Amino acid sequence: MQQGPNGLKFRKMHKIKLDLNNFERKSFMSKFCCFGLRSVTYGNVRYKQLETVRVGFRRLFKKQGIFRFNLFPYASLTRKSKHSRMGKGKGKHAFWVFPMKRGRIFFNVMWSVSEFGTSVTKFGCNKVSKKLPVSIKLFKNLF
């Protein structure tokens, strides 16, 4: 997974303000997937957190299930060093984040055997939810 977008080494972004009352309306659920993870709260998800989720699910599924992310960290947050004085412009890129709204589907899972996949996906959802800054909820896709 790529850490951030290309060609934005010196370009700084405005601060991301999430509207706390709105839900995500552009969520995408593939018709081939059985389960999905939906965010219940809002927050910024970092690239490293997404990578730990990906590695955790990969270890859990052991090449039996197929999963796909529906997001990419496109926004950068900047930091200045502690000992720098005021002024002299904005700081350097610290990390890349994805601003997550409530109701965003960010993960699709597909299994060949549904009974086994349900239990493993529920276990993985509980395990992964501790590593993310937003609370997530597992739901089943009804075709």
Side-chain angles (χ1 to χ4, degrees), residues 43-62:
N44 289 332
V45 181
R46 295 184 186 187
Y47 163 74
K48 286 186 178 182
Q49 293 163 340
L50 289 175
E51 189 64 21
T52 56
V53 168
R54 187 190 68 78
V55 169
F57 267 116
R58 176 53 56 204
R59 285 180 183 162
L60 191 68
F61 290 169
K62 296 180 182 170

Side-chain angles (χ1 to χ4, degrees), residues 43-46 50 70-75 96-100 104:
N44 289 332
V45 181
R46 295 184 186 187
L50 289 175
N70 286 337
L71 51 93
F72 180 75
Y74 65 90
W96 294 95
V97 298
F98 180 83
M100 179 99 56
R104 171 74 185 206

Side-chain angles (χ1 to χ4, degrees), residues 38-136:
R38 176 177 281 148
S39 67
V40 180
T41 58
Y42 61 91
N44 289 332
V45 181
R46 295 184 186 187
Y47 163 74
K48 286 186 178 182
Q49 293 163 340
L50 289 175
E51 189 64 21
T52 56
V53 168
R54 187 190 68 78
V55 169
F57 267 116
R58 176 53 56 204
R59 285 180 183 162
L60 191 68
F61 290 169
K62 296 180 182 170
K63 299 181 181 178
Q64 294 175 357
I66 300 169
F67 63 92
R68 200 189 89 173
F69 278 110
N70 286 337
L71 51 93
F72 180 75
Y74 65 90
S76 69
L77 294 183
T78 57
R79 291 262 167 92
K80 291 186 88 167
S81 63
K82 285 184 178 179
H83 306 292
S84 62
R85 296 184 178 181
M86 291 179 66
K88 306 280 194 238
K90 204 168 181 178
K92 295 182 178 179
H93 292 291
F95 41 84
W96 294 95
V97 298
F98 180 83
M100 179 99 56
K101 289 184 180 179
R102 292 187 299 162
R104 171 74 185 206
I105 300 169
F106 68 96
F107 198 71
N108 292 337
V109 182
M110 190 175 98
W111 283 93
S112 57
V113 182
S114 61
E115 292 87 23
F116 176 70
T118 305
S119 61
V120 171
T121 309
K122 284 182 183 178
F123 177 73
C125 179
N126 292 335
K127 202 171 183 180
V128 163
S129 64
K130 298 170 187 168
K131 299 183 182 194
L132 287 173
V134 294
S135 356
I136 58 175

Side-chain angles (χ1 to χ4, degrees), residues 22-34:
N22 287 344
F23 288 97
E24 181 72 36
R25 291 182 177 86
K26 296 179 184 176
S27 294
F28 171 74
M29 183 68 179
S30 171
K31 47 178 143 171
F32 302 111
C33 292
C34 305

